[in-house]
Amino acid sequence: MFKTRLVPIINIAFIFGMTFIFAMSGMGGMGVAQARDQILIVGSSTVFPFASTVAEQFGRTTKFKTPVIESTGSGGGMKLFCAGIGLAHPDITNASRRIKANEFKKCQANGIDMTELIIGFDGIVVATAKSAPTSKLTLQQIYLATAAQVPTENCTQNACSFIKNPYKKWRDIDSSLPNWDIEILGPPPTSGTRDAFQELAMVGGAKAWPYLNALKKKDKSAWKKLTHTVREDGAWIDAGENDNLMVNKLVANPQAVGIFGFSFLDQNSHKIKGLAVNGVAPSFENIASGAYKISRSLFVYAKHAHIGTIPGIKAYLREFMSESAAGDEGYLIDKGLIPLPEKERARYRHNANVLQKLTLE
């Protein structure tokens, strides 16, 4: 998410390819420790700058090498992480949403136990170029701008028809909005930011229709399709995992909006601005207090089978959860991380120390 990454990034595919022969013989084979002595980390582009900053500090202040980190998206990271045990597979994955049940099941099928840590909070921001006049939206307007199918005007609590999204311009949704084409630069399906946007913003906006609230209890599959499916008629554009490119596109076209994590907005506030949602600005204080509703937890997952074979994993986790990193005055706060409450920080710091095994119950 930064213009220049903070740690030495090595082509991870090359590393995986070079180490595959060692992985085939298992983690305990001769020469394994010598084959790879750096932690390999994949996952969320939102967590990437935090993980990179910790990795840089870790490499400077310990006897261990600086970890190698690749921004693959939360879904892409989980796929790599859960694929197996051995040097061909990453040791840690980052995610901007919790591991899904099917991902956890795949990990378990491959013999992977893990520790789950929450490092802090982040907000999902609807952003524009600083020169754009639009300054606020509602969750309902966001839902109508992004959903593939939307309710008709005669929707009641007991009956509702849905049509292919007809809204081409923002003013079609609300006369107070600009007469501009709807162009939303959003994260791809592999991104945890996409998942969080769907869960928090789209579902939040859909709550304006009592019919959809009732449908969730009657037919959850139909409800999810209507509240989570993003339109595919060109108004929503998957912009990839490179948020820097999205910023450049917003600057070039002030009529477009982009979906980011707050931490990235914070680092690029000289170019872009976050719109208030339901009257609440996406600020550090509003996300920390819970007043800004489009916010989510950020996760780190560590593979137990690699700890003790790949040097430094446990020490890296401890550094990530330390007060000097993720505390109220930690160095990650300057990068845009919203810290957990003190009691929760202590809980996850303990989990990092004892390598608490994750169970989804």
Side-chain angles (χ1 to χ4, degrees):
M1 292 172 69
F2 288 141
K3 291 183 179 178
T4 57
R5 291 174 173 171
L6 299 177
V7 297
I9 302 298
I10 302 171
N11 187 318
I12 203 164
F14 174 76
I15 293 174
F16 286 173
M18 290 295 289
T19 58
F20 180 76
I21 189 170
F22 296 99
M24 293 297 289
S25 62
M27 292 298 291
M30 183 180 296
V32 167
Q34 289 74 27
R36 176 152 73 78
D37 58 359
Q38 280 178 289
I39 302 168
L40 296 182
I41 304 171
V42 294
S44 167
S45 60
T46 299
V47 182
F48 178 86
F50 306 131
S52 298
T53 302
V54 173
E56 185 182 53
Q57 175 72 7
F58 179 77
R60 282 199 310 260
T61 60
T62 71
K63 64 181 180 180
F64 303 108
K65 290 186 177 180
T66 301
V68 175
I69 307 179
E70 183 72 10
S71 176
T72 63
S74 295
M78 285 295 177
K79 185 175 181 179
L80 291 168
F81 182 80
C82 291
I85 295 170
L87 295 176
H89 307 287
D91 312 307
I92 293 172
T93 190
N94 305 316
S96 53
R97 44 83 172 167
R98 199 180 193 205
I99 188 171
K100 297 178 180 179
N102 65 314
E103 293 167 337
F104 184 76
K105 185 177 181 180
K106 182 178 180 181
C107 268
Q108 293 284 283
N110 287 326
I112 297 169
D113 290 326
M114 69 194 79
T115 291
E116 175 188 75
L117 304 175
I118 296 180
I119 63 167
F121 300 117
D122 187 37
I124 306 296
V125 175
V126 182
T128 65
K130 294 203 75 170
S131 59
T134 303
S135 60
K136 60 183 179 179
L137 288 170
T138 67
L139 287 174
Q140 184 178 1
Q141 290 166 348
I142 292 170
Y143 171 72
L144 291 175
T146 56
Q149 291 188 300
V150 296
T152 57
E153 292 184 358
N154 60 352
C155 190
T156 68
Q157 183 168 352
N158 299 318
C160 190
S161 298
F162 289 82
I163 58 174
K164 181 179 178 181
N165 196 320
Y167 302 117
K168 303 300 182 184
K169 296 179 179 292
W170 288 101
R171 185 161 290 179
D172 295 339
I173 295 173
D174 191 298
S175 61
S176 67
L177 297 176
N179 192 32
W180 293 346
D181 290 341
I182 297 174
E183 182 177 335
I184 303 168
L185 305 176
T190 55
S191 171
T193 300
R194 168 81 160 257
D195 292 331
F197 176 81
Q198 291 166 310
E199 289 286 346
L200 298 169
M202 293 182 68
V203 171
K207 289 179 180 178
W209 287 270
Y211 176 86
L212 284 170
N213 295 330
L215 183 64
K216 184 177 181 180
K217 298 177 182 179
K218 296 177 182 178
D219 189 341
K220 192 168 183 178
S221 178
W223 168 84
K224 188 169 184 178
K225 184 177 180 180
L226 290 169
T227 59
H228 288 68
T229 306
V230 174
R231 63 195 299 181
E232 297 180 347
D233 58 357
W236 174 284
I237 302 166
D238 284 344
E241 294 285 355
N242 190 331
D243 290 340
N244 285 306
L245 292 179
M246 291 174 69
V247 168
N248 292 337
K249 290 178 180 179
L250 291 181
V251 172
N253 179 14
Q255 296 186 10
V257 301
I259 310 298
F260 299 99
F262 169 78
S263 56
F264 193 77
L265 170 71
D266 193 51
Q267 297 296 314
N268 291 274
S269 59
H270 59 295
K271 292 183 179 180
I272 56 178
K273 63 182 179 182
L275 307 184
V277 176
N278 284 6
V280 180
S283 67
F284 183 99
E285 293 76 15
N286 287 338
I287 295 170
S289 70
Y292 184 77
K293 298 304 181 183
I294 317 180
S295 60
R296 40 63 188 288
S297 300
L298 302 178
F299 296 84
V300 170
Y301 295 90
K303 193 174 291 179
H304 285 186
H306 289 199
I307 295 170
T309 300
I310 305 302
I313 295 175
K314 192 170 183 179
Y316 174 80
L317 298 178
R318 285 174 172 171
E319 174 61 28
F320 218 139
M321 297 311 303
S322 68
E323 282 295 290
S324 63
D328 288 333
E329 304 296 330
Y331 57 77
L332 293 179
I333 306 307
D334 290 338
K335 302 300 179 183
L337 183 72
I338 314 296
L340 294 172
E342 184 176 359
K343 186 176 181 179
E344 289 298 295
R345 293 201 304 272
R347 172 189 169 193
Y348 286 106
R349 189 160 54 247
H350 170 77
N351 288 356
N353 288 334
V354 303
L355 297 175
Q356 182 70 36
K357 180 181 173 181
L358 175 65
T359 58
L360 292 186
E361 296 178 350

